[in-house]
Amino acid sequence: MLSRKLFKRLGIIVATLVVLVVIGITAFVFDPFESGVDDMRRMVPADVDFFLRKDDLADDLGEFPAPAFFEDIENSRAWRDLRKGQTVADLRRDLLDYEAQLKDIAVQIEAGSGGFVSLVDDVVGDEVIFAGRMQGRELADAAWCAYMRVSWKIRAGVGMLDWDSVRSGVVDGGGPTITPRDDGIFTIETAGEPPMFLGRHRDCLMVANDETLLLDSMGIPDNPEARPFGTSSLYRDKILSRIEDWRGVTGVSEEGTNAMEMFVRTNALFDHVEFDDGWPDANHPDSVEQRVLSSFLNLKSFKDLGGSFLFEQDSLTWLGDIRIDQNAHSSFQTDFFRAEPQERRVWLDPFFTLVPREACAAAALRVPAADFLREMAAAIDPEIRREIDQLIKSTGRYESLDGLVETLRPSLRDRIGVVFKRQQDPNQFNTEGAERIETYDPSADPDVAWVFWLDDRFRGQVRNLIRFMQEQHRTFEFRLTDLPIVNAASGDVAQEFNSPNIPATGQLVACLFRDFFIFSNSGGLVRNMVQAQLDSSHLGNMKAFQPIEAELGQKLNGFVWLNGPRLVEVAEDQVTFLVEEADVPDPGWMVDVRGEIEAQVLRNSYPGIRSSSSLRPDQQDEFEDKVTEAMSRRWGRDREGFLGPAIADIRENQAFMRLVDRAFMQIELGPRELRWKARALLNFR
């Protein structure tokens, strides 16, 4: 992160140059006929660890330094909700000083020059690059250089720094000490601060905190053997060619392209930050998500990340490309990244027909399905996994969950899908007189269905699995419920298994439908998916999806789809659920406060008795009633404080979701790279 001192020091430097311009603007201090730098990216050394570039910045700004589009965001309901959340509050607090300093610099420059010089128009409004190298122990120790395409006014000011009288005047006026060097660089020293360094090549002004980096940049134009970052294969392949491909798909002209380019050597970055340490944790005791994610992601294998953010009127696109060190991969990760992109029409388009219009999210990925299932099984809590393995072994059919998965390997193609939909009442489609479906572990999380593509030659293996679950339903304490949503005559099968031990819905559904095996926690969702394909009421036929589908590549490894308004509904369900469930004290809260309340009851109702174990048998029931009553009163007081943070987090996530109407990501994998294109259609209402 840029420090406050950085803004202050840059402001001093720019303000000094403005003063010099005002003092002697008519003096012949630089060649007014010199041409500008053809490509400022070629001033950046090839070995930088980070790079950020934005051109035409003046066109993006509203009231400096706020972006022009920020006014639209501020008028939206999403922003009004976000301002109530902790993330935006923290961000605004951190940015207020930066914003104030930037505004102050801009005002001082304009006032000091009598309106002749503008920070935006003359310094940063055309093109800005920020690049550097990681060094030292902390991220703040990085060597950096800012490259700015400046106007002739600023170039004149730099030219006047060669005059002793001008430099002396700056010091006498309370400004920094400026010392010229034989190599064309100026050292700028301010009391109590590390030195800064300034250099210029034609219309490229460079300000750095590291003289070596600045010297390397200044030496590039005169070195015919120099290989700057702007001509490197990393820049060309990760940034430039991706933007050109995007233009070809969207039809946006080069002049109409509004891009922010970025690059970072992730292996260098991770040495200076902590957020990657141990994440994702394959052995995390509480997070199943981390345990599953660790099967796919290994941050130690990331070499570098390049890409760009592309801004349009109502959308934001992110093009990204990560180079991979495959030697750091597990065997599963190696196989995962080795999977070649496949024609979309062969595998992804059929999946779209199973995603109902009401879905809040969906994703599909080319991955060895059986290996994926084994990785998912490995992420299950060890104690629960042992219980499952024991139950499966007791049937005499399979030795373990892994053994069961292996029997499915021939029948599952190398691809998986998942569909999410707002949770519906699991009893909605119950037949009359059927036993009500209950669960011991309710939640408001969306219903989920896993989709597997079948090799028709081995379709019988999946049928055998469903038959096995039917035959052994008492072993697993399942109750069978018919789900008449498929055509049994064509070989399709659908069976619902109910148990209060199943979280969220109390349901598991196994469905063999045409070329797919669907496994879900919701009979209603499976019904919607089957119906979506039968009557074409699916994602692929949604009018809002057509523009996005036109942008997808012909060959893909993965795809993610998000529906913002539907996700907002899910978040609302979660708030409602929390409030309703809070009528009963939270079990964790009860454990935390019970000791304190027991001591209070003993003190008030049983003087002289220090432990409940010392109560007479005839006092035990009375004591429990008093504790329960006291805990209920205490929960009435603590309830809001206990719920507040959880609801605030959900509301904040909901506000972010309101900003997005639709979003998608397409993924391409290779043995040595991970590429993606993500686009969000924004909602400023």
Side-chain angles (χ1 to χ4, degrees):
M1 290 292 293
L2 300 181
S3 67
R4 293 178 175 84
K5 291 182 179 179
L6 168 61
F7 282 116
K8 180 179 178 181
R9 292 155 71 187
L10 285 175
I12 291 173
I13 292 170
V14 174
T16 299
L17 295 177
V18 171
V19 171
L20 296 176
V21 171
V22 175
I23 292 174
I25 196 63
T26 59
F28 190 79
V29 292
F30 80 106
D31 181 1
F33 301 107
E34 70 180 3
S35 60
V37 173
D38 291 336
D39 188 345
M40 208 164 71
R41 292 166 287 195
R42 299 190 179 191
M43 297 296 298
V44 181
D47 63 347
V48 294
D49 293 321
F50 56 89
F51 171 92
L52 188 68
R53 174 181 178 267
K54 184 70 181 70
D55 61 0
D56 298 326
L57 192 61
D59 295 338
D60 298 325
L61 296 174
E63 182 180 350
F64 183 82
F69 65 83
F70 192 66
E71 184 176 347
D72 292 332
I73 294 181
E74 281 190 309
N75 292 328
S76 68
R77 176 183 175 183
W79 179 252
R80 292 195 296 272
D81 292 342
L82 279 172
R83 292 188 64 173
K84 303 173 185 176
Q86 193 61 44
T87 298
V88 170
D90 292 344
L91 186 62
R92 285 175 61 85
R93 184 182 62 248
D94 293 341
L95 291 179
L96 278 177
D97 283 349
Y98 295 119
E99 182 181 357
Q101 288 185 47
L102 285 171
K103 284 184 176 180
D104 187 53
I105 291 170
V107 169
Q108 288 186 35
I109 288 173
E110 190 164 349
S113 65
F116 186 68
V117 177
S118 162
L119 176 63
V120 174
D121 296 336
D122 296 304
V123 184
V124 299
D126 193 342
E127 180 181 5
V128 176
I129 294 175
F130 187 77
R133 298 167 178 150
M134 299 294 181
Q135 61 182 25
R137 289 176 167 268
E138 305 292 335
L139 195 59
D141 297 330
W144 55 261
C145 182
Y147 307 76
M148 297 162 281
R149 192 179 293 277
V150 296
S151 72
W152 66 270
K153 304 171 189 177
I154 302 301
R155 291 151 68 188
V158 175
M160 283 185 285
L161 291 178
D162 284 323
W163 298 358
D164 292 337
S165 58
V166 171
R167 295 196 306 274
S168 299
V170 171
V171 175
D172 293 342
T177 300
I178 303 173
T179 306
R181 299 175 11 169
D182 294 339
D183 52 18
I185 290 176
F186 295 92
T187 301
I188 302 176
E189 296 176 287
T190 305
E193 300 286 350
M196 299 279 284
F197 305 91
L198 182 144
R200 180 181 73 87
H201 178 70
R202 298 183 181 177
D203 62 346
C204 177
L205 177 70
M206 290 161 278
V207 179
N209 73 339
D210 182 84
E211 60 181 312
T212 301
L213 178 56
L214 183 55
L215 280 170
D216 290 346
S217 300
M218 294 282 287
I220 289 176
D222 297 325
N223 182 2
E225 296 183 0
R227 296 292 181 266
F229 182 77
T231 62
S232 67
S233 60
L234 284 177
Y235 177 76
R236 183 178 62 251
D237 296 341
K238 290 181 175 293
I239 299 175
L240 198 58
S241 66
R242 297 293 307 279
I243 294 176
E244 291 172 350
D245 291 343
W246 175 82
R247 289 195 196 106
V249 172
T250 61
V252 177
S253 66
E254 183 174 356
E255 295 75 17
T257 300
N258 186 0
M260 183 171 69
E261 304 168 357
M262 51 83 67
F263 171 83
V264 61
R265 296 188 197 275
T266 48
N267 51 6
L269 173 66
F270 291 157
D271 289 339
H272 293 78
V273 296
E274 297 180 355
F275 72 82
D276 64 305
D277 296 347
W279 187 93
D281 184 357
N283 300 307
H284 197 288
D286 303 316
S287 174
V288 176
E289 292 80 4
Q290 282 204 45
R291 297 199 294 266
V292 172
L293 197 58
S294 68
S295 299
F296 294 89
L297 288 183
N298 178 2
L299 297 188
K300 295 184 183 300
S301 71
F302 290 3
K303 289 184 175 181
D304 46 54
L305 163 64
S308 58
F309 291 95
L310 297 150
F311 304 91
E312 295 182 89
Q313 183 67 29
D314 294 314
S315 72
L316 172 64
T317 300
W318 181 21
L319 308 177
D321 192 322
I322 293 177
R323 273 199 311 165
I324 301 293
D325 177 7
Q326 57 183 345
N327 294 324
H329 276 167
S330 67
S331 58
F332 174 75
Q333 289 165 349
T334 298
D335 291 341
F336 174 58
F337 278 87
R338 190 178 291 155
E340 296 181 358
Q342 190 175 33
E343 289 283 348
R344 196 187 81 199
R345 60 179 177 79
V346 173
W347 73 285
L348 190 56
D349 289 353
F351 172 71
F352 291 157
T353 67
L354 282 178
V355 181
R357 294 172 180 265
E358 301 83 8
C360 61
L365 189 64
R366 282 198 19 85
V367 60
D371 291 339
F372 170 80
L373 288 173
R374 292 190 65 137
E375 294 293 323
M376 291 284 286
I380 297 174
D381 180 89
E383 185 175 343
I384 297 176
R385 173 66 187 272
R386 282 193 294 271
E387 293 178 4
I388 293 174
D389 283 343
Q390 289 172 1
L391 284 174
I392 291 175
K393 188 174 182 178
S394 71
T395 66
R397 184 80 63 88
Y398 307 103
E399 285 295 314
S400 64
L401 182 57
D402 284 345
L404 186 154
V405 169
E406 282 304 308
T407 65
L408 295 177
R409 184 178 292 276
S411 59
L412 304 181
R413 296 186 180 275
D414 289 349
R415 59 198 74 151
I416 59 169
V418 60
V419 178
F420 297 92
K421 182 179 177 294
R422 184 182 185 184
Q423 189 180 127
Q424 52 191 297
D425 183 357
N427 295 283
Q428 182 176 350
F429 299 108
N430 264 14
T431 57
E432 187 176 352
E435 188 174 345
R436 183 173 180 80
I437 299 169
E438 301 287 355
T439 176
Y440 297 141
D441 186 15
S443 83
D445 293 338
D447 294 337
V448 58
W450 291 95
V451 179
F452 301 90
W453 284 250
L454 297 178
D455 184 330
D456 198 54
R457 296 172 299 172
F458 303 99
R459 185 184 179 92
Q461 300 287 1
V462 176
R463 186 184 297 278
N464 290 340
L465 170 65
I466 298 176
R467 185 178 298 116
F468 165 74
M469 294 177 66
Q470 290 171 326
E471 293 171 351
Q472 299 294 331
H473 70 275
R474 291 188 177 85
T475 302
F476 297 104
E477 299 182 358
F478 290 151
R479 188 178 76 248
L480 299 183
T481 302
D482 291 333
L483 196 66
I485 59 174
V486 294
N487 184 0
S490 65
D492 295 339
V493 179
Q495 181 65 65
E496 183 179 302
F497 305 89
N498 307 130
S499 169
N501 293 312
I502 300 171
T505 63
Q507 294 179 296
L508 288 178
V509 179
C511 178
L512 185 61
F513 174 61
R514 295 182 175 176
D515 297 328
F516 300 98
F517 172 46
I518 305 172
F519 196 72
S520 175
N521 69 346
S522 168
L525 175 54
V526 174
R527 181 191 298 268
N528 293 149
M529 293 170 66
V530 170
Q531 194 61 40
Q533 187 175 101
L534 293 177
D535 63 14
S536 298
S537 59
H538 52 72
L539 177 65
N541 278 341
M542 284 179 60
K543 183 177 181 181
F545 186 67
Q546 304 307 313
I548 287 177
E549 187 175 16
E551 287 190 37
L552 297 181
Q554 294 306 306
K555 288 187 176 182
L556 301 176
N557 287 88
F559 174 80
V560 179
W561 160 258
L562 301 177
N563 184 319
R566 300 295 186 191
L567 289 170
V568 168
E569 294 174 348
V570 170
E572 193 63 41
D573 290 344
Q574 291 173 331
V575 170
T576 301
F577 174 80
L578 279 179
V579 173
E580 292 178 349
E581 287 294 303
D583 289 340
V584 178
D586 178 81
W589 174 88
M590 293 175 69
V591 170
D592 291 339
V593 304
R594 183 174 178 88
E596 177 187 345
I597 290 179
E598 284 187 349
Q600 184 183 52
V601 171
L602 287 172
R603 189 168 54 251
N604 294 338
S605 301
Y606 305 94
I609 298 179
R610 296 185 176 182
S611 170
S612 60
S613 60
S614 301
L615 292 170
R616 299 191 310 270
D618 62 306
Q619 293 176 313
Q620 291 290 345
D621 289 344
E622 179 187 56
F623 172 75
E624 285 298 325
D625 290 342
K626 289 180 180 293
V627 169
T628 300
E629 182 181 352
M631 291 185 74
S632 180
R633 289 195 303 270
R634 175 73 171 270
W635 177 245
R637 298 196 304 270
D638 291 359
R639 178 176 179 271
E640 290 304 317
F642 186 84
L643 283 179
I647 292 178
D649 286 344
I650 295 173
R651 288 296 188 201
E652 189 172 66
N653 292 333
Q654 187 181 44
F656 279 114
M657 296 167 194
R658 288 190 195 279
L659 282 175
V660 178
D661 188 45
R662 303 286 190 274
F664 82 94
M665 174 184 285
Q666 68 173 43
I667 301 168
E668 300 170 58
L669 300 175
R672 294 180 176 85
E673 68 177 351
L674 164 63
R675 292 160 59 99
W676 66 86
K677 176 169 74 172
R679 185 184 181 200
L681 302 177
L682 304 177
N683 173 22
F684 294 143
R685 295 187 297 275

